[in-house]
């Protein structure tokens, strides 16, 4: 659908993404890592020609990294963007942003961001998407949040917005189209399935590649759960790892004995 990129179909790209998923940093080497890929696709699909020249081109050339700022601490938006509390208030030809985001992947290394903020109380048209640069005043990284496993480039960060001003020309789509943008992005992500290493790390994506390190780790964890007793029952009766493995071919499932 685009003249940009390598011109691969989803089916052609999937095995390449699967190979890159074997090593944590390899997708970054090929400029195919999340959240950059999703941000590239979002700006290409919904950005103006000026947006594409200013914000998309450096990403495509691999000169910078980016981040997508949506999730918030409770009671703000997590998986449900409609609960968003970060506010964008119109001030002439600019928008003033106040609020807090967290678990923003890659924020510590990002040169620019896509930001979702509330612009009205309308249930379906209350969110708007904006673009801003990391060196703009009015926001800061509060902390890098510890996670399980190795930390990716740029970390997973908590952000505080205290008067960040964004020109209206740096708004993505129309005012109130932010929820539409997030849902369209999610739909595209699930259509592609194996676009990023995060989604290639699911048992469904790995069932035909039993040599994958992540699959081996999942099997080993399930075996540990089988031997662990919690609440008077074997651990795998309650643990999600065992239930996830039922989608695998029989040859690759752990024993149920």
């Amino acid at each position: 659908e685009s003249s940009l990129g390598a011109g691969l179909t989803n089916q052609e790209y999937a095995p390449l993404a699967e190979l890159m998923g074997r090593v944590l940093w390899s997708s970054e080497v090929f400029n195919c890592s999340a959240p950059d890929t999703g941000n590239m696709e979002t700006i290409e699909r919904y950005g103006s020609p000026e947006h594409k020249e200013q914000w998309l081109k450096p990403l495509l050339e691999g000169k910078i990294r980016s981040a997508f700022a949506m999730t918030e601490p409770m009671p703000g938006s997590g998986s449900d963007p409609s609960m968003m509390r970060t506010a964008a208030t119109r001030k002439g030809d600019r928008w003033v942003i106040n609020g807090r985001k967290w678990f923003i992947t890659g924020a510590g290394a990002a040169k620019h961001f896509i930001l979702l903020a509330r612009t009205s109380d309308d249930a379906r048209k209350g969110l708007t998407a904006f673009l801003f640069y990391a060196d703009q005043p009015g926001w800061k990284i509060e902390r890098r949040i510890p996670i399980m496993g190795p930390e990716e480039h740029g970390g997973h960060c908590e952000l505080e917005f205290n008067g960040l001003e964004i020109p209206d020309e740096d708004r993505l789509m129309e005012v109130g189209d932010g929820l539409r943008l997030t849902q369209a992005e999610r739909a595209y992500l699930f259509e592609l399935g194996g676009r990023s290493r995060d989604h290639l790390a699911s048992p469904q994506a790995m069932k035909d590649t039993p040599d994958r390190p992540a699959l081996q780790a999942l099997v080993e964890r399930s075996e540990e759960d089988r031997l662990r007793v919690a609440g008077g029952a074997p651990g795998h009766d309650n643990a999600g790892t065992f239930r996830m493995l039922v989608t695998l071919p029989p040859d690759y499932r752990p024993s149920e004995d």
Side-chain angles (χ1 to χ4, degrees):
E1 298 179 8
S2 171
S3 60
L4 303 174
L8 300 177
T9 66
N10 294 346
Q11 186 175 12
E12 291 168 335
Y13 178 68
L16 302 179
E18 189 172 19
L19 287 172
M20 286 185 282
R22 291 172 180 264
V23 180
L24 287 175
W25 44 260
S26 62
S27 58
E28 185 178 341
V29 171
F30 294 98
N31 199 27
C32 295
S33 59
D36 293 325
T37 49
N39 289 348
M40 292 177 200
E41 290 147 7
T42 297
I43 299 172
E44 198 281 329
R45 284 188 166 203
Y46 305 117
S48 66
E50 293 76 19
H51 288 150
K52 294 176 185 179
E53 179 65 25
Q54 180 178 348
W55 305 88
L56 176 59
K57 187 176 179 181
L59 276 176
L60 290 174
E61 293 175 345
K63 294 180 177 179
I64 63 170
R65 301 294 310 277
S66 64
F68 188 86
M70 185 184 79
T71 53
E72 301 175 343
M74 289 181 66
S77 66
S79 59
D80 182 0
S82 67
M83 297 175 65
M84 192 163 298
R85 298 170 69 88
T86 297
T89 306
R90 190 79 180 250
K91 180 183 176 183
D93 62 351
R94 307 178 77 81
W95 295 86
V96 181
I97 313 298
N98 289 284
R100 189 175 293 271
K101 303 287 186 182
W102 72 351
F103 288 100
I104 306 306
T105 301
K111 295 299 183 184
H112 68 63
F113 294 72
I114 296 177
L115 167 74
L116 271 292
R118 179 165 295 285
T119 48
S120 79
D121 292 328
D122 188 286
R124 301 189 64 84
K125 301 285 289 183
L127 305 182
T128 302
F130 302 92
L131 294 156
F132 76 93
Y133 284 109
D135 59 1
Q136 290 179 225
W139 79 284
K140 66 178 181 178
I141 294 178
E142 186 72 24
R143 61 178 176 135
R144 290 173 73 134
I145 302 172
I147 61 170
M148 292 192 300
E151 185 178 90
E152 298 179 34
H153 187 56
H156 301 269
C157 302
E158 182 173 356
L159 316 181
E160 180 182 347
F161 296 89
N162 187 19
L164 169 68
E165 294 192 7
I166 300 177
D168 187 58
E169 65 192 40
D170 294 337
R171 169 175 41 82
L172 270 174
M173 305 179 71
E174 298 300 322
V175 174
D177 279 345
L179 183 61
R180 176 185 161 199
L181 181 146
T182 63
Q183 297 308 307
E185 173 64 8
R186 287 180 179 182
Y188 182 64
L189 184 150
F190 287 120
E191 286 169 11
L192 184 48
R195 185 186 67 182
S196 73
R197 64 171 179 265
D198 299 325
H199 301 93
L200 282 171
S202 68
Q204 290 83 358
M206 293 187 293
K207 64 174 123 180
D208 294 323
T209 55
D211 57 327
R212 288 287 301 276
L215 174 59
Q216 183 60 36
L218 187 63
V219 171
E220 292 174 357
R221 174 57 187 268
S222 183
E223 290 289 355
E224 292 173 4
D225 287 336
R226 184 172 64 86
L227 301 174
R228 180 171 54 88
V229 176
H236 68 57
D237 285 358
N238 300 311
T241 52
F242 191 82
R243 289 194 293 273
M244 292 165 67
L245 284 166
V246 300
T247 60
L248 296 173
D251 290 348
Y252 305 130
R253 296 178 192 169
S255 170
E256 298 187 30
D257 296 336

